[in-house]
């Protein structure tokens, strides 16, 4: 009997694991000097939800510095059942289109995702501290060997 390829599949436990980041969050961040911006403290509001039948975590954030919005992001996280890795499709207000998603996986409570482009390599490291807080470290490397911090932050759930 032929399998119905149009029939909806169900999310896997790996998809559900991303729900740890669902909710509304306030973040305190440190932005490091880079070719994109001067360094300094920032705050972010992050809103994330599980959507599309539980297959995706959709995350939007707005970063503020000195009372002004300076940066915004739209991230789509999922688990790729074909290659058994997590994927992050990342778009931001710098306007670069990523050639491919970041890819990676969990080790303990830490989700690490890496992507490369002609501009270099980016690594996103999300660590669950507890059910009401997580940390994020975004790093850049021209060669995917020596990583430099671009942003670090701690995010607390808004109740």
């Amino acid at each position: 009997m032929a399998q119905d390829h149009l029939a909806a599949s169900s999310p896997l436990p790996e998809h559900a694991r991303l729900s740890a980041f669902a909710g509304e969050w306030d973040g305190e961040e440190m932005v490091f000097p880079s070719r994109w911006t001067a360094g300094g403290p920032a705050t972010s509001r992050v809103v994330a939800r599980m959507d599309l039948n539980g297959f995706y975590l959709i995350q939007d954030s707005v970063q503020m510095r000195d009372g002004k919005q300076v940066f915004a992001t739209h991230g789509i996280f999922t688990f790729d059942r074909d290659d058994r890795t997590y994927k992050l499709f990342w778009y931001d207000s710098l306007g670069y289109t990523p050639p491919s998603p970041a890819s990676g996986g969990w080790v303990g409570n830490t989700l690490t995702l890496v992507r490369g482009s002609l501009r270099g390599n980016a690594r996103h490291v999300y660590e669950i501290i507890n059910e009401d807080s997580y940390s994020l470290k975004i790093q850049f490397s021209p060669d995917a060997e020596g990583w430099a911090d671009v942003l670090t932050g701690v995010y607390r759930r808004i109740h």
Side-chain angles (χ1 to χ4, degrees):
M1 176 180 220
Q3 183 179 13
D4 183 358
H5 291 287
L6 297 178
S9 59
S10 298
L12 299 172
E14 290 88 348
H15 292 104
R17 191 164 186 192
L18 292 168
S19 67
F21 300 111
E24 293 187 39
W25 308 83
D26 276 332
E28 294 194 17
E29 300 171 332
M30 179 54 64
V31 179
F32 293 84
S34 70
R35 62 185 178 183
W36 302 285
T37 186
T43 60
S44 280
R45 171 64 58 101
V46 179
V47 178
R49 69 187 188 282
M50 293 301 293
D51 209 339
L52 303 172
N53 294 331
F55 288 104
Y56 300 91
L57 174 77
I58 300 173
Q59 180 190 73
D60 293 296
S61 71
V62 173
Q63 184 184 77
M64 305 289 288
R65 292 177 75 184
D66 300 321
K68 296 182 221 160
Q69 179 178 326
V70 295
F71 190 62
T73 68
H74 181 73
I76 303 169
F77 298 73
T78 192
F79 178 74
D80 186 328
R81 63 180 79 226
D82 290 332
D83 72 7
R84 309 294 300 166
T85 62
Y86 285 86
K87 303 289 188 201
L88 168 58
F89 298 83
W90 178 268
Y91 305 92
D92 61 42
S93 57
L94 293 177
Y96 297 112
T97 301
S100 61
S103 185
W106 289 91
V107 174
N109 287 332
T110 302
L111 174 61
T112 302
L113 301 150
V114 179
R115 77 173 177 279
S117 74
L118 295 176
R119 291 178 311 284
N121 301 279
R123 178 165 66 182
H124 295 232
V125 181
Y126 296 84
E127 182 178 4
I128 297 173
I129 299 168
N130 58 47
E131 69 180 28
D132 289 325
S133 61
Y134 70 91
S135 66
L136 168 61
K137 184 186 312 184
I138 298 177
Q139 299 174 308
F140 177 79
S141 172
D143 58 9
E145 291 183 18
W147 294 96
D149 289 345
V150 173
L151 176 141
T152 59
V154 174
Y155 306 83
R156 291 178 177 77
R157 188 181 301 278
I158 300 169
H159 289 283

